[in-house]
Amino acid sequence: MFFPFAQVKPGTTRAKLARRSKHHRQTGQSSETNPKGGYPCRAALPTNQKLESDTLLEFDIKGLFDNIDHELLLRAVRKHVTCKWALLYIERWLKAPMEQDGNRIERNRGTPQGGMVSPILSNLFLHYTFDLWMKRTHPDLPWCRYADDGLVHCRTEQEAETLKAELLVRSTECHLEMHPTKTKIVYCKDDKRQGTYPNVAFDFLGYCFRPRAVWGSRSGRLFCGFTPAVSPSALKAMRAKIRDLHIRRQTQVTLTNIARSLNPLLRGWIEYYGRFAPSALYPMLRYVNQTLLAWAMRKFKRFRRHKIRASQFLQNLAQENANLLVHWQVGLTGTFA
């Protein structure tokens, strides 16, 4: 299985995007920072590493934050925390009742979502539930975990089926439940693996891994590879974030003010999702340009009902003042029509 970063010629747009991202992932380790908050941690990104596995097991724990057993969690906490006052406050915080619709509800499981320490406690719980268990029972299988989502690379479909059954038993022992639809076996289909299986794609950390046409730098031709690119759900979320800024209606501000709001978002998206197949970001960047076009047609009277004029105005602006927006800086001026 390949997680390649296709080689590109220096000076091209793809090369510029490649230089702007220097993320790495450690195979066989969990990512225990920034779980489920903001951008996925950099250490969890896919890597250009060759793995000789045809099949992988994708797993997801259903309602992790709501179903963590307090007694098992506190046993794990006591292995690392010796301060009695800290242990007392952690236990009180976990078991503090909550009110819903005027009713007081006692809690004997789960960690409050949104709490500052909840991600740390949930990762600690899964460190003993999954991480150490995998190292003890399957030390030869590469795996990665990010919060309650994870992947295990298996050599055969039978091995993946066996591991899935074992993982179901393990989760039950720890009072957790595997998600019935998100836990599945995926076949890494490419030019060398041409079998027919129901699942040949999966999403992980905002990337979609599936068979794609890849340009071979050595062979000089296209071939089918199992590679990552930004997922459709991530693109949809990015467009929704741009839409929530209501740029089209902010005719009282200048383009510099808009750039000040857009650039932090665009910079993060390009550096993270541009790590692999940066061309998959083009639809989102084109949506940004179309949003700017709609804003210009609303703001300037001379561009109302003149879409072509407004488009030419922004194209000239992108060439003359490329440093204004992040995607213009790397040459992704795109189209405004």
Side-chain angles (χ1 to χ4, degrees):
M1 178 179 178
F2 289 89
F3 293 138
F5 193 156
Q7 295 183 1
V8 294
K9 296 179 180 180
T12 62
T13 298
R14 287 172 62 86
K16 292 177 183 177
L17 281 175
R19 289 196 300 269
R20 299 176 74 86
S21 181
K22 300 178 181 178
H23 308 310
H24 303 281
R25 180 184 64 85
Q26 297 176 346
T27 302
Q29 296 186 4
S30 61
S31 303
E32 303 197 358
T33 56
N34 191 23
K36 296 296 186 183
Y39 294 111
C41 63
R42 295 183 177 184
L45 270 170
T47 181
N48 56 337
Q49 181 178 11
K50 181 180 178 182
L51 296 175
E52 301 296 340
S53 56
D54 296 346
T55 309
L56 61 83
L57 173 64
E58 178 191 13
F59 67 88
D60 179 270
I61 299 174
K62 184 178 180 181
L64 172 65
F65 287 94
D66 297 328
N67 295 304
I68 292 179
D69 185 271
H70 286 174
E71 295 305 320
L72 293 178
L73 176 59
L74 289 173
R75 282 173 55 186
V77 170
R78 292 188 187 103
K79 287 181 175 290
H80 301 272
V81 179
T82 57
C83 177
K84 293 183 179 180
W85 286 107
L87 289 171
L88 177 64
Y89 279 111
I90 290 174
E91 184 174 2
R92 285 180 176 178
W93 180 77
L94 282 174
K95 298 183 177 181
M98 64 178 181
E99 289 191 3
Q100 186 175 9
D101 299 329
N103 298 321
R104 184 172 180 174
I105 303 174
E106 299 294 333
R107 293 189 302 183
N108 58 3
R109 60 177 56 245
T111 60
Q113 292 201 42
M116 294 295 292
V117 76
S118 286
I120 300 175
L121 293 177
S122 63
N123 260 318
L124 178 63
F125 187 81
L126 286 182
H127 177 69
Y128 287 94
T129 301
F130 178 79
D131 301 353
L132 296 183
W133 177 79
M134 277 295 298
K135 291 179 180 179
R136 184 174 65 252
T137 59
H138 299 281
D140 56 330
L141 295 182
W143 58 270
C144 60
R145 178 180 65 80
Y146 184 76
D148 56 351
D149 302 322
L151 303 170
V152 182
H153 294 273
C154 303
R155 290 174 285 265
T156 62
E157 183 181 8
Q158 183 179 0
E159 186 177 47
E161 291 284 2
T162 302
L163 178 61
K164 181 180 179 182
E166 293 178 3
L167 196 54
L168 287 172
V169 174
R170 176 62 178 174
S171 61
T172 303
E173 291 174 351
C174 298
H175 304 162
L176 295 176
E177 180 184 357
M178 306 302 295
H179 199 286
T181 58
K182 294 182 179 180
T183 301
K184 59 185 179 181
I185 296 173
V186 181
Y187 181 68
C188 306
K189 187 174 183 178
D190 57 17
D191 266 355
K192 297 181 180 179
R193 307 178 180 95
Q194 299 184 1
T196 302
Y197 290 84
N199 298 318
V200 294
F202 67 93
D203 287 1
F204 188 61
L205 298 177
Y207 278 90
C208 177
F209 294 77
R210 64 174 178 83
R212 302 176 192 274
V214 180
W215 179 260
S217 58
R218 295 182 180 179
S219 62
R221 64 179 181 85
L222 288 173
F223 67 94
C224 180
F226 195 83
T227 59
V230 58
S231 67
S233 58
L235 286 173
K236 183 177 179 180
M238 285 184 269
R239 287 193 295 266
K241 183 67 176 179
I242 297 296
R243 190 163 52 248
D244 290 343
L245 295 178
H246 302 293
I247 293 174
R248 298 168 186 254
R249 298 181 180 180
Q250 295 187 29
T251 55
Q252 77 282 3
V253 301
T254 64
L255 191 57
T256 303
N257 299 127
I258 294 176
R260 194 175 295 117
S261 301
L262 279 176
N263 279 338
L265 296 174
L266 296 177
R267 186 176 295 108
W269 292 336
I270 290 175
E271 290 188 354
Y272 181 77
Y273 294 108
R275 178 68 174 84
F276 297 97
S279 60
L281 284 172
Y282 291 175
M284 183 274 295
L285 299 176
R286 184 172 185 269
Y287 179 77
V288 173
N289 288 340
Q290 290 176 332
T291 301
L292 295 176
L293 178 63
W295 169 82
M297 293 177 66
R298 280 175 175 264
K299 182 176 179 64
F300 303 106
K301 291 183 178 180
R302 67 181 184 274
F303 294 146
R304 292 180 184 177
R305 302 187 186 90
H306 294 285
K307 188 175 183 179
I308 295 178
R309 293 181 186 176
S311 176
Q312 291 174 344
F313 166 76
L314 288 175
Q315 286 177 354
N316 294 334
L317 184 63
Q319 294 175 358
E320 297 172 359
N321 195 3
N323 292 328
L324 187 60
L325 288 163
V326 172
H327 65 303
W328 292 357
Q329 295 176 17
V330 295
L332 296 176
T333 54
T335 58
F336 293 90

